[in-house]
Amino acid sequence: MRFTRSLTGAAVVGLALTLAACSGPSDSGLSYEDSPLSKYFEASFGGDMSVEEQQKQIDEQTRVQEELMAECMKEEGFEYIPDLDNGGVIISSEDDVVWEPDDKDWVAQYGYGMVNSPYSDSMMTPSEEEYVDPNADYVMSLSESEQTAYYETAYGAPMEGDGSEAEVIEYNWEDAGCQGWAQHEAGGEDPWQAAEFAPLLQKMQELWETSQNAPELAGINAKWSACMEDGGQPGFETQPEAAESISDAQNKIYEEVSLASADGGADGEITPEDMIDPNDTPEMKELGEKEIALALVDLECREKTSYTEESLKVQFALEEKFIADNKADLEAFKAAAEQSE
């Protein structure tokens, strides 16, 4: 079983624009920033706000959300102290992170940026002070049944399903207790989860899926695939499959390590001593080396076949057609995103 929210902004745009986002400027100067669709989603990612402005917005939304949650919990008969620490997370300046998947030296260090990611140490700066949950003592003072009621009131009852891997249980703020309500009230209607935009997001998903196998890309993918085979990396028919193979392998390691951690717990309970960090395993280290080797050949083949240039032309043409067919819905989504800032 897997749990998911409705497609988020990052997920949808990332999917639809993967061909563009994976590449830097092409020989003719085309880049992700030229994406015709990107202007409709900028507001969802902070628009033109500076890092400081984004941090201020996050802090203010956290304050409002936590105060609303405290009110909700009080109405339900529980104490709750607003947690304004925000987990000690601070947004870093984008200047702190260099993302250059078309630079050989960068690729030689990070590959696709999955196993060894430049964001790992730079995107989140941990607080120097150890985080302390202001509600921990109160929760511990409750009986076991009261604690269960407390958590269900705060975060909603645990989501249940039939246990199948294929099952998708979507997030619904109305089922997420006081926290879900507070997030909804503080952040307004999230256009990525609004029912009125569900058809548009589904079309975005379809755009991604069709763009992967667009007839216009058949020729360039064939040249790229032949180059990969010559470089000792056979088995890939399209360029995105290369990075996806690393992502799939990484997810498998996470799943296996999670199961191993669970097996190490007594009576089904997992303690910190039972936990295994998947990033410290020999399997993950080996995958990181494999990723770099694969990404280097991929980069060389993209350069030899002018893959970036050709793929961006095709992607942007598909986006232009998508915009023409869905102009009104895209404008409505953009307006909703700007209003929810």
Side-chain angles (χ1 to χ4, degrees), residues 23-51:
S23 307
S26 66
D27 293 339
S28 66
L30 288 179
S31 69
Y32 166 75
E33 284 73 17
D34 300 311
S35 162
L37 268 176
S38 64
K39 66 179 181 180
Y40 291 100
F41 304 104
E42 288 176 352
S44 300
F45 308 132
D48 296 326
M49 287 194 298
S50 67
V51 171

Side-chain angles (χ1 to χ4, degrees), residues 271-283:
T271 66
E273 291 74 20
D274 300 318
M275 296 299 295
I276 302 172
D277 186 347
N279 296 306
D280 292 336
T281 62
E283 291 81 4

Side-chain angles (χ1 to χ4, degrees), residues 119-162:
Y119 289 93
S120 296
D121 299 323
S122 301
M123 283 305 290
M124 297 298 181
T125 303
S127 171
E128 293 182 0
E129 298 182 4
E130 182 179 355
Y131 170 71
V132 177
D133 183 354
N135 295 288
D137 291 341
Y138 170 70
V139 174
M140 291 302 295
S141 71
L142 302 176
S143 67
E144 184 175 343
S145 61
E146 289 173 333
Q147 288 182 15
T148 299
Y150 174 92
Y151 285 121
E152 290 190 359
T153 300
Y155 310 112
M159 293 184 288
E160 298 181 355
D162 60 18

Side-chain angles (χ1 to χ4, degrees), residues 6-7 173 189-201 333 336:
S6 300
L7 289 174
W173 68 267
E189 185 66 36
D190 183 355
W192 294 104
Q193 297 184 40
E196 66 177 297
F197 296 118
L200 176 65
L201 300 189
F333 180 94

Side-chain angles (χ1 to χ4, degrees), residues 207-243:
L207 172 64
W208 155 252
E209 292 172 350
T210 55
S211 69
Q212 293 289 280
N213 299 299
E216 299 90 336
L217 284 175
I220 190 65
N221 273 322
K223 293 179 181 178
W224 173 87
S225 180
C227 176
M228 292 290 285
E229 186 168 2
D230 291 341
Q233 298 287 352
F236 303 108
E237 295 183 1
T238 65
Q239 193 274 332
E241 290 179 6

Side-chain angles (χ1 to χ4, degrees), residues 29-296:
L30 288 179
S31 69
Y32 166 75
E33 284 73 17
D34 300 311
S35 162
L37 268 176
S38 64
K39 66 179 181 180
Y40 291 100
F41 304 104
E42 288 176 352
S44 300
F45 308 132
D48 296 326
M49 287 194 298
S50 67
V51 171
E52 291 76 16
E53 290 171 332
Q54 292 180 49
Q55 184 68 60
K56 184 177 180 180
Q57 183 184 64
I58 289 175
D59 291 344
E60 175 60 16
Q61 186 167 335
T62 297
R63 182 190 66 77
V64 173
Q65 176 183 312
E66 287 294 307
E67 290 180 354
L68 287 170
M69 185 166 177
E71 293 177 11
C72 178
M73 293 294 285
K74 183 177 180 180
E75 290 180 1
E76 296 297 328
F78 292 103
E79 295 179 14
Y80 183 85
I81 301 173
D83 182 4
L84 304 182
D85 188 33
N86 197 27
V89 173
I90 300 174
I91 299 177
S92 71
S93 168
E94 52 189 40
D95 293 336
D96 295 339
V97 180
V98 178
W99 189 265
E100 297 181 333
D102 287 306
D103 179 81
K104 188 173 182 179
D105 290 338
W106 189 94
V107 174
Q109 182 176 358
Y110 298 112
Y112 294 111
M114 295 182 184
V115 176
N116 299 305
S117 172
Y119 289 93
S120 296
D121 299 323
S122 301
M123 283 305 290
M124 297 298 181
T125 303
S127 171
E128 293 182 0
E129 298 182 4
E130 182 179 355
Y131 170 71
V132 177
D133 183 354
N135 295 288
D137 291 341
Y138 170 70
V139 174
M140 291 302 295
S141 71
L142 302 176
S143 67
E144 184 175 343
S145 61
E146 289 173 333
Q147 288 182 15
T148 299
Y150 174 92
Y151 285 121
E152 290 190 359
T153 300
Y155 310 112
M159 293 184 288
E160 298 181 355
D162 60 18
S164 66
E165 285 293 327
E167 181 183 20
V168 175
I169 301 179
E170 294 189 355
Y171 173 85
N172 183 345
W173 68 267
E174 295 176 316
D175 299 326
C178 285
Q179 185 183 70
W181 174 81
Q183 288 176 342
H184 177 74
E185 290 295 309
E189 185 66 36
D190 183 355
W192 294 104
Q193 297 184 40
E196 66 177 297
F197 296 118
L200 176 65
L201 300 189
Q202 180 60 39
K203 291 178 182 178
M204 288 283 290
Q205 177 72 17
E206 293 169 358
L207 172 64
W208 155 252
E209 292 172 350
T210 55
S211 69
Q212 293 289 280
N213 299 299
E216 299 90 336
L217 284 175
I220 190 65
N221 273 322
K223 293 179 181 178
W224 173 87
S225 180
C227 176
M228 292 290 285
E229 186 168 2
D230 291 341
Q233 298 287 352
F236 303 108
E237 295 183 1
T238 65
Q239 193 274 332
E241 290 179 6
E244 288 170 4
S245 71
I246 300 300
S247 177
D248 290 344
Q250 187 177 34
N251 288 335
K252 184 177 180 180
I253 292 174
Y254 281 127
E255 292 173 2
E256 291 175 347
V257 169
S258 178
L259 290 174
S261 296
D263 290 341
D267 300 325
E269 296 184 2
I270 304 175
T271 66
E273 291 74 20
D274 300 318
M275 296 299 295
I276 302 172
D277 186 347
N279 296 306
D280 292 336
T281 62
E283 291 81 4
M284 192 67 79
K285 180 180 179 181
E286 181 180 351
L287 181 61
E289 295 171 352
K290 179 180 179 180
E291 174 186 0
I292 290 173
L294 176 61
L296 283 170

